[in-house]
Amino acid sequence: MSRIPDAFIQDLLTRIDIVEVVGSRVELKRAGREYKGLSPFTNEKSPSFFVNPAKQMFFDFSSGKNGTAITFLMENDRLSFVEAVEELAKRAGVDVPREGGNEVSRLVLDGPLDALAVAEKFYRGQLRTHQPAIDYLKKRGLDGETAKLFNVGYAPESWDALTRLFPEADGQRKHAMDAGLLIERDSGGGAYDRFRNRVMFPIRDTRGRTIGFGGRTLANDPAKYLNSPETPLFHKGRNLFGLFEAKQSTKSELTSLLVVEGYMDVVMLAQHGIRNAVATLGTATTREHLTLLFKSTQRVVFCFDGDRAGRSAAWRALEQALPEVFDNRECRFMFLPDGHDPDSLVQEIGADAFRVLIEQAQPLSDFLLGELQKQVNIATLDGRARLPGLARPHVEKLRDGPLRALIVDELARLTRLGRGDLEAALAARAKPEAAASSAPNDNARRVESPGAKPVRIALQLLLEEPALASKAEHLGQIEMLAQPGLDILIDTIEFFRENPEAHAAQWLELHRGTARGAALTRISAMPLTIADASLEAEFLDCLTHLRKRAIRERQQALLDTARERSLEPAEQAELMALMQRP
């Protein structure tokens, strides 16, 4: 069955002006930064239908409908998704390509794809002739067969080695730029190579097509690893390095997938016969990652460093996993000894011992309850009384089923509460939330935790003014905070940083049909009452609030630890540094 490529849809949305599309069907009048008119979906007498040209989205507060130009045609003209795309393509004067089987239309999508294939071949050839890169890989323990399996290459230390392969005259250079391989010069006079003097790891989609690269520097570059930017083909939050190779390693369904953090971790594990490892691409685990993982296996094992940063990353992965673990799905958490990553550990202890560690990985329920217990003194009445409140937001994410029931049973044992009393405690906030969700104007009255508000406002501001992403700082500290929705904020910042010309509709269209897409659409529809002149200050205030809260939480965690045991020298130094921060 053929489908329309995502790349074409993204390109189409850049060609179309939603004001023109909607204006041909609805009488619109300028209202500040937006256009307004009567809803085409209800019989209203006062206009509550708005079109935002900056976001390239429409918002109908009368019917509750909102979305992109595609969504508008689907709702207003009663078209299917494909018909709506074809209608917009006709307006833009382009043909709609289709994917199907192993054949792909060469009208739009194969431009960037072909450029990526050319780059991969070029990088492989360069590796064969560049001895320092070969020596580096040998020093890391990588053999030629494994390098060939993953098509490892080398980007030469040149500003235009790859650029010269793509002539500007026939449009090939634009394809390479659209693929994230080249960067346009600020002066507008040509382009230059994005990757220079780096060992290159091709990133493939589930069909085996190269959609991006990860490059490891061979110089003293502060950016040790550099990924391709977000493009219509490549999304860090929706792709995994090594998944195609893992699926090719067996003719049957994968019994499990091991999620690690680095390219070399995946490659070295494969060299030792552990072919079921995949890596996230420099970003936290997302719900889209989990959807992709569970399409290939029913058991996912997350592998993290055993230090504080590793456990924080594991906790963020757990929060994303909770809604996705149901039926026969299973998640486990594996923590490595200090000073080791999967690459170094498998070389030291061998594949068999590493597999034993995988089998000993901590079940999701044990990790969840173990981390929650660290926040209270379970030996006291007060500590046991606090535990249900701490567990509530996490238990709420679980679907009804055996796992939730067993976790509740274990909470009952730990707190010494009866099952009925515990269920009542876990449901304590259900009534006010239900009342809020059933009230009119849900977007304005939704109940939020204190930590959710700055995340929501920052997202609203970004969707209104994507250029704010370039102002964001200290993301490494902020993302340590265990706050629902923070992963969406971080990924949105990264998307608009890497795609400075993109607008909100493109980011939302990438998440059509997902829980994340629904959340982003809801937030985008919320009224923003901040003056244009104050957008940047308000955005930075939100990030500052989140950063300070992350610092406070880490400081409190260290103080709680100090009450139970003596802090290690590194922990003492970290605590002192945190207490001296403004």
Side-chain angles (χ1 to χ4, degrees):
M1 183 177 179
S2 63
R3 63 181 293 275
I4 301 173
D6 290 341
F8 175 78
I9 294 168
Q10 289 293 298
D11 179 66
L12 183 61
L13 288 173
T14 65
R15 297 169 182 259
I16 291 295
D17 182 357
I18 192 173
V19 176
E20 293 181 0
V21 174
V22 176
S24 65
R25 292 159 172 81
V26 178
E27 184 178 350
L28 298 174
K29 294 182 179 179
R30 172 69 84 168
R33 298 178 62 179
E34 299 180 313
Y35 292 83
K36 70 177 181 180
L38 295 174
S39 169
F41 308 117
T42 64
N43 295 318
E44 66 176 3
K45 300 195 186 293
S46 299
S48 61
F49 178 87
F50 293 84
V51 180
N52 188 307
K55 295 179 182 177
Q56 285 294 298
M57 295 181 66
F58 76 92
F59 303 96
D60 183 6
F61 297 100
S62 172
S63 67
K65 301 179 187 296
N66 46 65
T68 67
I70 297 172
T71 311
F72 177 79
L73 289 183
M74 292 172 66
E75 296 286 353
N76 187 74
D77 293 16
R78 306 286 185 183
L79 302 180
S80 68
F81 176 80
V82 172
E83 290 170 337
V85 171
E86 289 176 339
E87 175 67 22
L88 291 177
K90 184 189 300 183
R91 174 184 286 266
V94 295
D95 295 316
V96 180
R98 295 291 202 282
E99 291 176 317
N102 292 321
E103 296 183 0
V104 183
S105 167
R106 305 184 67 82
L107 293 175
V108 175
L109 182 62
D110 271 12
L113 275 178
D114 282 344
L116 288 157
V118 168
E120 181 185 311
K121 183 178 180 181
F122 171 73
Y123 293 145
R124 288 203 317 269
Q126 290 296 307
L127 178 61
R128 288 192 290 268
T129 62
H130 190 76
Q131 195 60 43
I134 295 172
D135 292 342
Y136 167 78
L137 292 173
K138 286 182 176 179
K139 185 178 179 181
R140 294 291 301 266
L142 190 68
D143 63 29
E145 284 300 312
T146 307
K148 183 178 180 181
L149 173 67
F150 287 90
N151 286 342
V152 179
Y154 171 71
E157 190 173 8
S158 167
W159 290 92
D160 64 351
L162 185 65
T163 301
R164 291 196 300 268
L165 297 181
F166 297 100
E168 192 166 9
D170 59 2
Q172 291 186 37
R173 184 164 295 176
K174 182 181 185 305
H175 293 324
M177 294 176 68
D178 290 343
L181 296 166
L182 309 180
I183 300 174
E184 186 175 13
R185 295 186 183 277
D186 291 338
S187 61
Y192 60 91
D193 295 6
R194 178 179 298 275
F195 298 99
R196 302 178 300 279
N197 194 25
R198 291 178 181 269
V199 172
M200 301 297 288
F201 298 90
I203 302 164
R204 302 178 185 176
D205 63 13
T206 54
R207 294 173 54 184
R209 305 175 304 180
T210 297
I211 56 174
F213 289 93
R216 204 283 184 193
T217 185
L218 294 183
N220 294 320
D221 193 315
K224 186 163 66 171
Y225 280 93
L226 178 66
N227 286 326
S228 289
E230 296 271 327
T231 70
L233 289 171
F234 174 64
H235 317 289
K236 289 185 294 184
R238 296 165 61 186
N239 295 108
L240 293 161
F241 175 72
L243 181 58
F244 174 76
E245 289 80 3
K247 293 176 72 171
Q248 294 299 304
S249 67
T250 177
K251 294 182 180 179
S252 58
E253 184 177 347
L254 288 163
T255 57
S256 67
L257 281 168
L258 179 70
V259 182
V260 297
E261 295 185 279
Y263 298 100
M264 281 301 296
D265 297 325
V266 172
V267 172
M268 193 53 64
L269 287 168
Q271 183 166 301
H272 284 75
I274 301 174
R275 293 287 304 277
N276 63 328
V278 299
T280 52
L281 302 166
T283 188
T285 303
T286 66
R287 291 280 293 277
E288 286 83 357
H289 283 147
L290 285 154
T291 299
L292 196 59
L293 289 163
F294 282 123
K295 283 182 179 179
S296 303
T297 187
Q298 292 183 334
R299 187 184 188 208
V300 175
V301 181
F302 291 101
C303 180
F304 293 100
D305 295 346
D307 59 11
R308 177 180 62 84
R311 297 193 79 86
S312 295
W315 185 255
R316 292 197 298 273
L318 175 138
E319 290 184 318
Q320 297 299 310
L322 287 171
E324 300 298 326
V325 182
F326 55 88
D327 295 336
N328 295 322
R329 294 179 175 185
E330 178 186 6
C331 279
R332 288 177 168 261
F333 294 84
M334 171 183 173
F335 295 99
L336 302 176
D338 288 345
H340 276 295
D341 53 30
D343 172 9
S344 63
L345 187 60
V346 75
Q347 293 193 68
E348 180 175 307
I349 68 175
D352 291 341
F354 197 94
R355 289 192 181 94
V356 170
L357 294 178
I358 296 174
E359 290 302 316
Q360 295 173 346
Q362 195 174 19
L364 177 146
S365 55
D366 288 358
F367 179 50
L368 170 64
L369 295 174
E371 292 298 302
L372 292 177
Q373 288 181 74
K374 290 178 182 179
Q375 301 178 49
V376 300
N377 184 348
I378 202 70
T380 68
L381 290 175
D382 289 349
R384 293 197 296 274
R386 287 182 57 206
L387 191 57
L390 292 174
R392 183 190 300 121
H394 310 293
V395 174
E396 286 175 347
K397 293 181 180 180
L398 289 165
R399 301 194 189 191
D400 288 337
L403 179 62
R404 184 190 184 282
L406 290 170
I407 287 177
V408 172
D409 283 344
E410 182 61 14
L411 281 169
R413 186 189 70 80
L414 292 169
T415 58
R416 303 179 193 176
L417 288 171
R419 179 66 183 256
D421 290 336
L422 180 60
E423 286 283 13
L426 291 174
R429 292 193 303 181
K431 289 184 178 179
E433 286 182 350
S437 65
S438 61
N441 195 7
D442 178 41
N443 291 331
R445 303 189 186 184
R446 184 176 298 271
V447 175
E448 292 183 311
S449 67
K453 187 174 181 180
V455 172
R456 173 181 60 77
I457 293 175
L459 272 170
Q460 279 186 277
L461 294 167
L462 271 175
L463 294 172
E464 185 73 28
E465 192 62 55
L468 292 173
S470 65
K471 308 293 184 180
E473 296 180 339
H474 307 297
L475 295 185
Q477 292 178 2
I478 293 171
E479 67 180 353
M480 301 297 289
L481 186 64
Q483 172 63 50
L486 191 60
D487 60 312
I488 304 179
L489 174 60
I490 298 295
D491 286 349
T492 303
I493 290 172
E494 292 179 345
F495 174 80
F496 285 131
R497 272 182 173 176
E498 295 169 354
N499 299 274
E501 301 301 320
H503 47 65
Q506 289 170 283
W507 183 228
L508 268 65
E509 193 63 42
L510 288 174
H511 298 89
R512 174 184 286 272
T514 68
R516 174 177 282 198
L520 286 167
T521 301
R522 184 178 67 248
I523 290 171
S524 184
M526 291 180 179
L528 188 65
T529 57
I530 301 168
D532 290 355
S534 303
L535 294 182
E536 181 177 332
E538 188 71 24
F539 177 70
L540 296 179
D541 282 349
C542 290
L543 297 189
T544 299
H545 174 88
L546 293 169
R547 178 180 174 234
K548 288 182 176 179
R549 186 170 154 225
I551 292 171
R552 285 198 306 270
E553 288 192 5
R554 177 55 184 162
Q555 181 177 315
Q556 187 60 51
L558 288 170
L559 290 172
D560 291 343
T561 301
R563 295 188 183 98
E564 300 175 3
R565 62 169 174 82
S566 297
L567 294 179
E568 300 292 335
E571 291 175 321
Q572 292 177 0
E574 182 186 2
L575 180 58
M576 291 298 295
L578 290 173
M579 295 180 73
Q580 292 171 9
R581 287 183 184 274

